[in-house]
Amino acid sequence: DKGQRWQRALQLLGEMQQCGLKPNTLSFNTCIGACARSKQWRTALVLLERMAEEGVPADVISYSAAISACEKGGQPEEALAMMRRLPAIGISPNV
């Protein structure tokens, strides 16, 4: 089921770590994108925070997917707030 793919993506991310593999930007972006498609905005934001905590660099794709998750999840204020923060962290929005 398409709506559950975000859960599988998170599961795979966890399995990577259990196997001693360090997820990279692409791994996290894939999960954040899956969350966006399933309107799981809170989980997308948690993943973005985890990237910072684990020293994985977020890029414009990371933030675009998180912003999309907020928008699709009915959180336009959160999406706008995140867009406003992008220049301060050195990322140009790709709108």
Side-chain angles (χ1 to χ4, degrees), residues 25 29 48 51 56-60 62-63 91:
T25 303
N29 286 355
L48 202 56
M51 289 178 80
V56 178
D59 60 14
V60 68
S62 313
Y63 285 97
I91 294 180

Side-chain angles (χ1 to χ4, degrees), residues 57-61 63 82-94:
D59 60 14
V60 68
I61 296 168
Y63 285 97
M82 192 176 302
M83 284 185 71
R84 289 187 193 111
R85 288 192 300 265
L86 292 181
I89 55 177
I91 294 180
S92 299
N94 65 348

Side-chain angles (χ1 to χ4, degrees), residues 16-91:
M16 282 180 68
Q17 292 177 308
Q18 289 172 356
C19 292
L21 300 172
K22 184 178 190 237
N24 60 17
T25 303
L26 179 61
S27 306
F28 275 100
N29 286 355
T30 300
C31 288
I32 295 170
C35 289
R37 288 185 292 280
S38 299
K39 303 177 186 177
Q40 299 296 320
W41 66 275
R42 285 186 182 98
T43 305
L45 296 183
V46 167
L47 288 168
L48 202 56
E49 288 176 23
R50 270 186 57 195
M51 289 178 80
E53 291 167 3
E54 296 179 20
V56 178
D59 60 14
V60 68
I61 296 168
S62 313
Y63 285 97
S64 293
I67 289 167
S68 177
C70 291
E71 184 270 325
K72 290 177 180 177
Q75 302 298 315
E77 298 85 12
E78 186 69 38
L80 286 172
M82 192 176 302
M83 284 185 71
R84 289 187 193 111
R85 288 192 300 265
L86 292 181
I89 55 177
I91 294 180

